[in-house]
Amino acid sequence: MVTVPTPSSSPDPHSSSTSAAPQGPDGADGAHLARGTDAAQTAVNDAARVRREVRDAVGCALGVTLLGIVLGLLWVWLAPRIPLFTDGQAVYLKDPEGEEAVGADGTFVLLSLALGAVAGGAVFLARRKGGVGLVLGLACGGLLAAVVGWRLGVMLGPESDVVAAAKAAGKGNTFEGPLELTAKGALLAMPFGAVLFHLALTGVFGPRDPEPGTMDDLHDPAPGPDGAPPHR
C-alpha cells in the first residue's frame, strides 16, 4: 500500500509579510500623544502669531500718529486765510464769495492723502510681507494723526475767538479768521490713503506664495511606488 504524502501545513513565509499585525494599546496611545503634541504646538504658534500682529499694530499706529504733527504744521502754513472785517459792532466776511473756507478743507485733505501715502510706503518698505496688524495700525494711526493735525492746526492758527480778534483789530480793520475744518469727513483721508497705498504696494511688489505644479516638479518627478526612480 502506497502512502501519499500530504502537503505541509507550515505557513507560507510570504504570507506573514503581507499580513499586518494588529496595533496594540501602546501604538494607539502613541498616536493620541502625537496628535496632542501637534495640537499644542499649533496653539502655541497661533498665540505667537497673534502677539506679533498686536505688537505690529501698536507700533505702526504710534509711528503713524507722529505724522499728525507734520500734518498740523503744514496745514497752518499752506491753508488759505479767511479775511474778516469789523465795523465795531459786528464781524463780516470781507469777501462773501471767497472760497478760503473750502480751500482750508481741501488743503487738509490733500496733505492727509500725501502723508498717508508716505506712511503706507514706509511701512511696506519696513515689512514687505504685510499683515493684518500693519493694516490695522495704519488705519488707527492715520485716524489719530488726522485728529492730532486738525487740533494742532487750530491751536497754532489764527485766534479762534473771533470777538477778541475783532476787538484787537479795531473798528474798520481786517483780520484773519480762525482756521477751521468744516468737513469732518476729511479726517478719514489720511487712514484711507495710508491703507490703500500700502495694499497697492503689497499687491504689486509683495512676496507671493509658490504656485502648485511649478517647473521643479516637472524636472524632479516623484519616485515610483517601489522606490525606484521614475522612467524619463
Side-chain angles (χ1 to χ4, degrees):
M1 182 177 180
V2 179
T3 303
V4 179
T6 58
S8 175
S9 61
S10 60
D12 188 0
H14 297 287
S15 62
S16 59
S17 59
T18 58
S19 60
Q23 187 177 14
D26 294 340
D29 293 341
H32 288 300
L33 181 60
R35 286 194 294 269
T37 303
D38 293 341
Q41 186 63 37
T42 302
V44 171
N45 294 337
D46 292 342
R49 184 169 58 253
V50 170
R51 288 194 299 269
R52 184 174 62 253
E53 295 288 353
V54 172
R55 183 173 61 252
D56 291 344
V58 173
C60 181
L62 292 178
V64 175
T65 302
L66 295 178
L67 290 177
I69 300 175
V70 180
L71 174 61
L73 295 176
L74 291 176
W75 189 40
V76 172
W77 180 33
L78 299 176
R81 299 293 188 263
I82 303 176
L84 300 178
F85 174 80
T86 177
D87 60 358
Q89 300 297 327
V91 177
Y92 308 93
L93 287 172
K94 186 177 181 179
D95 184 7
E97 297 181 358
E99 298 180 354
E100 289 82 3
V102 179
D105 289 355
T107 302
F108 188 89
V109 170
L110 292 178
L111 290 173
S112 297
L113 289 175
L115 291 176
V118 170
V123 170
F124 172 76
L125 293 177
R127 297 288 297 275
R128 287 181 176 270
K129 293 184 178 180
V132 178
L134 295 178
V135 175
L136 292 178
L138 282 173
C140 297
L143 183 59
L144 292 175
V147 173
V148 170
W150 166 43
R151 299 312 304 169
L152 182 63
V154 171
M155 182 178 64
L156 298 179
E159 176 64 48
S160 58
D161 189 347
V162 177
V163 176
K167 290 181 179 180
K171 181 179 179 179
N173 292 324
T174 303
F175 62 97
E176 293 180 349
L179 184 60
E180 296 179 346
L181 188 65
T182 56
K184 298 303 186 290
L187 296 173
L188 299 177
M190 189 166 182
F192 177 79
V195 172
L196 182 63
F197 194 69
H198 178 266
L199 292 179
L201 290 177
T202 303
V204 175
F205 302 106
R208 289 172 172 78
D209 296 333
E211 298 181 357
T214 58
M215 295 301 296
D216 293 338
D217 297 336
L218 299 178
H219 293 300
D220 297 324
D226 56 351
H231 296 285
R232 298 185 182 274

